[in-house]
Amino acid sequence: MSSIAATGKRGFGSFLWDYLTTVDHKKIAHLYIAGGAFFFILGGIEALIIRIQLIKPENDFVSAGFYNEIITMHGTTMIFLAAMPIMIGLMNAAIPLQIGARDVAFPFLNSLSFWLFMFGGLLLNVSFMTGGAPDAGWTNYASLAMNSSGHGVDYYIAGLQIAGAGTLMGGINFLATVVTMRAPGMTYMRMPLFTWASFITSVLILFAFPALTVNLFLLMFDRMFDSAIFDVALGGNTIIYQHLFWIFGHPEVYILILPFFGAFSDIFSTFARKRLFGYTAMVFATMIIAFLGFMVWAHHMFTVGLGPVANSIFSVGTMAIAVPTGIKIFNWLFTMWGGQLKINSAVLWALAFIPSFTIGGMTGVMLGSAVADYQYHDTYFVIGHFHYVIVGGTVFGIFAALHYWWPKMFGRVLNEAMGQVTFWLFFIGFHLTFFIQHFLGLMGMPRRYWVFLKDQGLELGNVISSIGAFFMAAGVIVFVYNIIHSAAKGEKADADPWDARTLEWTVSSPPPYYNFEQLPLVRGLDPLWIEKMEGDGKMSPGEPLDDVHMPNNSFIPFLMGLGFFIAGYGFIHQTDNSLWYIALYGGMAFSIGCMVVRSLKDDYGYYIPKEELQKAVEEEAK
Amino acid sequence: MSQEHSNLFPDVMPDTPERVTHEGKNKFFGLWFFLGGETVLFASLFGTYLALKNSTAGGPSSEEIFGLELVFVMTMLLLTSSLTSVYAMYHMRNADFKKMVLWLSITGLLGTGFLAFEVYEFAHYITEYGFSFRSSAFGSAFFSLVGFHGGHVLFGLCWLLAILIRNAKRGLNLYNAPKFNTFSLYWHFIDVVWVFIFTVVYLMGKVG
Amino acid sequence: MAEESKDNLEAQSFKKQKSKEEMQRQLISFGLMIVFTLIAFAIVITDSIDSMYVVPILFIMAFVQAAFQFYYFMHLKDKGHAMPALLMYGGVWCAFLTLCALMVITWW
């Protein structure tokens, strides 16, 4: 294994096999980012189709039915198959290194999480080719979803159930990792903010995804097996779906943003060359946001008729979340104040995030007023709001974090000039597209309608909004080119290209497959910076040099994902033809068989001999 | 390295053998965190049940069909199986592999008995009362909740079988002690969920 | 050498004593759980308590039993269980919110 890494020469076949069977968090990070990027492009194409359809009134670029599929898939893909996987990929890349660990707590489970995402996402998108994608909105409310003909909604259920299981496993994995695998001296209050935020996000994942799991099961039972949970004629109740969906859905949007809050904290302190202002407050603010995030879900249901008492409680709770969020915004500003902020692509994205996310948060408080929401609900005002927070928060965060950690993940620095071109194109396009949508909503344009009518004053706004989409597309194309260019001709990165503060910058770029020859001894917050300021710029070892226990690769996660994919496909089509039960039972049996094989067959991993690590230590010293 | 796989004896037995190794700690925390998520999962099912338990669509209601005698027997079986798994862990901490396997096997038998009665109960409802998964919202909610719990019991029994088979010839060591303990924690949680099921579904169902 | 093995034997017998006490506590917990179960069933079967009080009492019985399971059978009271306890309580809180939503603000 080490000889391949040393010479860097191996065939494409062995490269592919390595990635198909890897349990290494660093390679799994690559897989998540590549997979997420692929689905981001798909979701982006779906967005362009929406904006082309809406470029003029009563357009017929696509049919009404197909438009419903496109808006559903745009939302579902962007949230579940693009933003979350890239986020989990970044968590995989950074967390073990930031806490001084050699991998996550459950490497096999980590790989399984990825393949479940991949196969779930593929299942969801296969629907386009087999009779139609899901078309009941990314929220897939029970009444519409129950009556949606064709199999689209069934694909939604099966695809998300599979991918969601992977995410839940990932949440448990990161929780256990942070609890048990911190390096000597790395107390909780010395962890970088990205790790803290990801840890808290993992708690959110743990508690939010089971509600989605149950909801999807109940919907599946109703659609495929004629049960009556949501069937009003037999006493069912569709509000149950809404509650369960948003009890998952609201924490989900905090899941999408909190890790990037953490990434921005790391980025600001690194490039301002100043420690994070108010570290403790930042940690607790993140916890408060997470806690409150579970108590406000019904603000998505103000117009359902829950009554004034319920609406008031959720309204107040929603506005309360602005407080800890505001604390964080101010602390980022105070971190930069008095520092020597270096401007580069990562920093540009971080700087742009602050006003953009704040605008989104502000419109969120407007929406949080239950009374006013009766006017805003189901209009483009809502679409403007959530794109400001998701794109202005999560997507900007993705770009910033990718620029920041790219050298560590891939050993190359992304080209700075192209990075800035991407930034400006995307930033301008983003505001063009979504700022105007607030006004379109206030002027009465409803959401999820495939056309709007002439002579209602909506034409100019929609044209501007659509032009912005093409700016964003151009920015993404430049970014993709940047990636390819840097892979081919980019400057190689050394261990610490940014003169940074945290442990991941103490190992080479990319790190050796075992991360650390000896786990480092952490002396305080920003451990690398302490060594730079008060020591020799290098970490001291926190453990003696010894053989290192590593996990073996395994093809089983891929096979399990494949089995569930086949089972899912069988589940969906068994209502058409009973022969599909073979796929259903066969796929399930195959995956369960893989689990049994994994449980019964011995796999104790392997040991890296002390001598190899000794040699690496000596080479570094030279 | 090989110490992990060498058999344990009382004089070298650590206090908490399931948590001494790094993998043991990871499994310990991993399962507890999983149980936190499972709490929310069952709460969603309980909530759905509570919202729909009166939606009988003209069919039988909970007072009419639930038989408390059967539920009592099932409760005793599951509760006792929880105790037997405690015994098994007690013997594990005393490094007595044979007794641990014995008590785990009894746990499995009691759990199988529970499931058998539950299957009989479900069949009884479907054939005697026409009360099924599809007959009303109450039916769907009941069978979803209690069925999910039964599914968890079934999964637990398969898990138990797998670890008993796998370790039958190996004896107790620091590598498999965490596996037994992890199962035991899961099994206790299943019993906790059952306590709430018999209280909320059956007992409150009879009170009306 | 003799000292060591004497210490070892003492340590062992102390451990044995402790685990015997622990096992007794577990048995007592089990006994109490059975008692609570019997009480709960008895209340419902005999219909002896005013219907307004029955549901709260049943809930209390269930919660106490669950507490015994967690703290004794699952060792939640022992050292090293702070993080599991924290996350279980977190799960219980989210469970409570879910139940409230589906019981209190779900009609039609």
Side-chain angles (χ1 to χ4, degrees):
Chain A
M1 194 156 313
S2 53
S3 54
I4 299 174
T7 61
K9 286 190 192 332
R10 55 183 179 175
F12 178 71
S14 91
F15 176 83
L16 187 65
W17 184 247
D18 191 17
Y19 271 93
L20 284 175
T21 59
T22 185
V23 296
D24 179 351
H25 70 100
K26 302 182 285 298
K27 294 216 177 78
I28 291 177
H30 296 168
L31 288 170
Y32 265 116
I33 289 173
F38 168 70
F39 286 115
F40 182 77
I41 307 273
L42 281 190
I45 293 173
E46 283 149 3
L48 284 173
I49 294 177
I50 295 174
R51 285 319 319 167
I52 294 173
Q53 167 63 13
L54 294 177
I55 202 165
K56 63 180 191 176
E58 294 174 80
N59 202 0
D60 58 359
F61 178 65
V62 294
S63 69
F66 189 62
Y67 183 79
N68 290 345
E69 292 174 31
I70 291 294
I71 53 160
T72 302
M73 287 304 284
H74 167 71
T76 309
T77 301
M78 284 306 205
I79 291 180
F80 290 107
L81 307 180
M84 290 213 61
I86 296 182
M87 175 189 97
I88 295 175
L90 289 164
M91 284 161 68
N92 259 299
I95 293 178
L97 293 171
Q98 284 197 336
I99 61 172
R102 292 211 165 86
D103 206 313
V104 294
F106 304 111
F108 178 89
L109 203 67
N110 203 10
S111 172
L112 180 61
S113 300
F114 168 74
W115 288 110
L116 287 176
F117 142 65
M118 201 64 214
F119 279 108
L122 283 174
L123 187 60
L124 206 48
N125 280 283
V126 154
S127 62
F128 274 118
M129 300 190 281
T130 59
D135 61 354
W138 86 278
T139 53
N140 207 49
Y141 274 7
S143 21
L144 185 61
M146 285 301 299
N147 292 305
S148 175
S149 58
H151 283 301
V153 168
D154 301 322
Y155 277 98
Y156 176 94
I157 295 171
L160 284 188
Q161 195 73 280
I162 295 173
T167 306
L168 182 59
M169 292 176 198
I172 296 176
N173 211 343
F174 288 119
L175 280 174
T177 304
V178 171
V179 169
T180 69
M181 295 177 77
R182 286 164 287 127
M186 175 66 80
T187 62
Y188 283 106
M189 295 309 268
R190 288 177 179 177
M191 299 196 305
L193 252 291
F194 181 70
T195 298
W196 250 120
S198 301
F199 181 62
I200 294 168
T201 301
S202 300
V203 176
L204 285 176
I205 291 176
L206 180 68
F207 294 144
F209 270 79
L212 178 70
T213 305
V214 167
N215 219 7
L216 290 176
F217 266 119
L218 295 178
L219 196 58
M220 178 178 89
F221 292 157
D222 265 30
R223 268 182 72 89
M224 296 184 194
F225 304 118
D226 291 324
S227 63
I229 307 275
F230 307 120
D231 181 355
V232 180
L234 286 172
N237 184 333
T238 60
I239 306 302
I240 293 177
Y241 181 92
Q242 292 194 33
H243 275 302
L244 286 177
F245 184 84
W246 288 115
I247 287 173
F248 152 75
H250 196 80
E252 163 67 9
V253 306
Y254 287 101
I255 291 169
L256 285 174
I257 195 61
L258 288 182
F260 295 106
F261 280 174
F264 286 127
S265 295
D266 284 357
I267 289 172
F268 279 128
S269 61
T270 298
F271 291 109
R273 305 174 69 72
K274 197 165 158 269
R275 56 180 255 266
L276 183 68
F277 186 93
Y279 175 89
T280 311
M282 290 298 243
V283 170
F284 281 104
T286 313
M287 289 183 188
I288 294 174
I289 294 173
F291 177 72
L292 288 177
F294 259 104
M295 315 226 282
V296 298
W297 76 88
H299 66 219
H300 301 271
M301 297 165 66
F302 280 146
T303 60
V304 166
L306 300 175
V309 175
N311 277 1
S312 311
I313 296 174
F314 284 104
S315 188
V316 169
T318 304
M319 298 190 197
I321 298 193
V323 174
T325 313
I327 291 177
K328 294 183 82 78
I329 301 267
F330 280 115
N331 282 7
W332 286 315
L333 296 175
F334 292 147
T335 304
M336 288 188 277
W337 181 275
Q340 312 154 297
L341 189 67
K342 176 162 176 47
I343 303 290
N344 59 29
S345 298
V347 174
L348 282 175
W349 286 110
L351 286 172
F353 149 81
I354 293 194
S356 308
F357 186 81
T358 304
I359 293 174
M362 193 206 77
T363 54
V365 174
M366 289 169 72
L367 287 162
S369 156
V371 174
D373 189 56
Y374 271 82
Q375 299 299 316
Y376 306 132
H377 183 75
D378 268 347
T379 67
Y380 262 78
F381 190 84
V382 179
I383 298 191
H385 157 70
F386 69 67
H387 280 95
Y388 259 80
V389 281
I390 296 187
V391 180
T394 304
V395 177
F396 282 20
I398 286 175
F399 278 115
L402 283 178
H403 272 279
Y404 181 54
W405 278 307
W406 198 267
K408 188 56 55 185
M409 292 193 284
F410 297 103
R412 302 290 167 113
V413 182
L414 285 173
N415 180 283
E416 190 46 42
M418 281 193 257
Q420 300 210 10
V421 168
T422 297
F423 169 74
W424 285 111
L425 282 173
F426 196 90
F427 179 74
I428 291 170
F430 161 70
H431 287 289
L432 274 179
T433 299
F434 296 112
F435 194 70
I436 199 80
Q437 288 187 359
H438 295 102
F439 297 100
L440 286 172
L442 292 175
M443 291 192 282
M445 181 175 174
R447 64 185 285 202
R448 292 177 167 161
Y449 277 35
W450 76 300
V451 291
F452 61 94
L453 302 177
K454 312 197 273 270
D455 300 324
Q456 293 192 335
L458 302 172
E459 286 90 334
L460 182 60
N462 273 292
V463 166
I464 295 174
S465 190
S466 296
I467 291 173
F470 286 98
F471 272 83
M472 285 193 273
V476 171
I477 291 172
V478 173
F479 190 73
V480 170
Y481 180 71
N482 194 349
I483 292 174
I484 299 171
H485 178 268
S486 78
K489 299 194 213 148
E491 66 176 272
K492 278 204 160 69
D494 55 6
D496 185 10
W498 311 125
D499 192 20
R501 314 169 73 86
T502 44
L503 283 179
E504 71 268 37
W505 306 105
T506 64
V507 292
S508 62
S509 300
Y513 63 103
Y514 46 78
N515 293 354
F516 303 94
E517 282 89 24
Q518 291 163 275
L519 299 184
L521 180 65
V522 171
R523 292 206 273 155
L525 183 59
D526 288 343
L528 178 58
W529 199 252
I530 292 181
E531 301 300 331
K532 287 179 181 175
M533 294 294 115
E534 298 171 21
D536 61 354
K538 293 205 214 324
M539 304 300 299
S540 331
E543 59 166 9
L545 196 60
D546 199 359
D547 296 337
V548 163
H549 190 193
M550 296 288 283
N552 278 327
N553 280 10
S554 174
F555 193 44
I556 293 181
F558 176 90
L559 290 175
M560 282 175 73
L562 181 63
F564 286 124
F565 176 88
I566 295 172
Y569 198 83
F571 241 129
I572 293 166
H573 291 279
Q574 39 91 4
T575 47
D576 298 337
N577 186 333
S578 312
L579 279 178
W580 281 111
Y581 273 110
I582 300 176
L584 166 53
Y585 288 123
M588 291 296 285
F590 181 70
S591 289
I592 293 174
C594 287
M595 282 171 71
V596 172
V597 165
R598 174 69 184 173
S599 299
L600 296 183
K601 200 164 155 304
D602 282 344
D603 184 352
Y604 297 135
Y606 65 97
Y607 284 85
I608 307 177
K610 190 161 59 176
E611 292 69 35
E612 181 180 326
L613 300 171
Q614 181 86 37
K615 251 201 295 184
V617 171
E618 283 158 12
E619 290 227 359
E620 255 183 61
K622 287 197 209 122
Chain B
M1 339 172 189
S2 57
Q3 302 140 333
E4 266 189 21
H5 301 283
S6 48
N7 280 1
L8 289 167
F9 295 102
D11 54 342
V12 295
M13 193 64 167
D15 283 341
T16 54
E18 69 277 2
R19 278 190 273 156
V20 157
T21 59
H22 207 101
E23 274 195 27
K25 285 195 192 68
N26 283 340
K27 288 194 199 329
F28 167 79
F29 284 111
L31 190 86
W32 269 110
F33 297 155
F34 172 69
L35 294 181
E38 288 262 271
T39 306
V40 180
L41 187 116
F42 277 106
S44 307
L45 287 165
F46 269 106
T48 305
Y49 174 80
L50 287 167
L52 295 176
K53 68 183 172 84
N54 293 318
S55 305
T56 52
S61 73
S62 54
E63 283 115 327
E64 292 161 29
I65 52 173
F66 290 156
L68 285 185
E69 302 78 14
L70 186 61
V71 174
F72 182 74
V73 169
M74 287 161 68
T75 305
M76 287 300 123
L77 284 173
L78 207 59
L79 204 52
T80 310
S81 76
S82 210
L83 177 70
T84 55
S85 77
V86 172
Y87 265 117
M89 290 302 105
Y90 169 72
H91 288 299
M92 183 182 86
R93 289 191 178 182
N94 286 340
D96 192 340
F97 180 71
K98 281 202 166 49
K99 287 229 182 75
M100 178 192 78
V101 170
L102 172 68
W103 285 101
L104 280 177
S105 308
I106 297 176
T107 305
L109 282 171
L110 291 168
T112 311
F114 170 88
L115 265 190
F117 278 112
E118 188 156 78
V119 169
Y120 166 75
E121 180 204 357
F122 284 5
H124 181 74
Y125 292 153
I126 295 173
T127 51
E128 292 287 310
Y129 294 98
F131 173 65
S132 74
F133 191 48
R134 308 173 195 202
S135 57
S136 64
F138 164 52
S140 304
F142 170 80
F143 281 102
S144 295
L145 171 61
V146 186
F148 251 89
H149 174 264
H152 276 78
V153 173
L154 180 63
F155 181 81
L157 291 172
C158 294
W159 179 1
L160 179 60
L161 196 64
I163 51 176
L164 284 176
I165 291 176
R166 185 187 183 278
N167 295 301
K169 300 227 174 62
R170 291 164 206 249
L172 189 60
N173 54 50
L174 288 177
Y175 185 75
N176 59 30
K179 294 179 192 278
F180 290 114
N181 184 254
T182 309
F183 165 77
S184 174
L185 285 175
Y186 176 83
W187 194 255
H188 289 302
F189 183 77
I190 298 294
D191 194 29
V192 171
V193 176
W194 179 255
V195 166
F196 284 103
I197 290 185
F198 83 70
T199 303
V200 169
V201 175
Y202 294 102
L203 292 182
M204 293 191 197
K206 281 306 227 194
V207 168
Chain C
M1 206 44 161
E3 282 287 313
E4 255 183 48
S5 56
K6 211 178 80 164
D7 283 339
N8 214 348
L9 275 172
E10 274 182 27
Q12 266 192 58
S13 70
F14 176 74
K15 263 177 55 178
K16 258 216 162 94
Q17 171 74 358
K18 280 267 154 244
S19 64
K20 237 183 153 159
E21 286 171 14
E22 177 70 27
M23 206 51 224
Q24 276 168 354
R25 268 186 235 124
Q26 304 279 17
L27 268 173
I28 296 174
S29 304
F30 176 72
L32 285 170
M33 283 190 233
I34 299 279
V35 167
F36 284 135
T37 307
L38 285 168
I39 295 177
F41 272 88
I43 290 179
V44 171
I45 291 182
T46 60
D47 216 358
S48 49
I49 297 195
D50 202 30
S51 62
M52 188 163 60
Y53 299 110
V54 170
V55 170
I57 291 180
L58 287 178
F59 262 119
I60 292 174
M61 299 273 124
F63 272 110
V64 171
Q65 267 206 50
F68 271 114
Q69 276 272 3
F70 276 118
Y71 278 97
Y72 283 93
F73 280 12
M74 294 164 84
H75 299 289
L76 202 55
K77 64 171 177 37
D78 289 353
K79 212 164 67 117
H81 283 81
M83 208 40 105
L86 181 66
L87 282 167
M88 273 314 292
Y89 279 108
V92 166
W93 175 245
C94 295
F96 170 72
L97 292 173
T98 308
L99 286 165
C100 276
L102 291 171
M103 285 166 61
V104 175
I105 45 175
T106 299
W107 41 69
W108 300 272

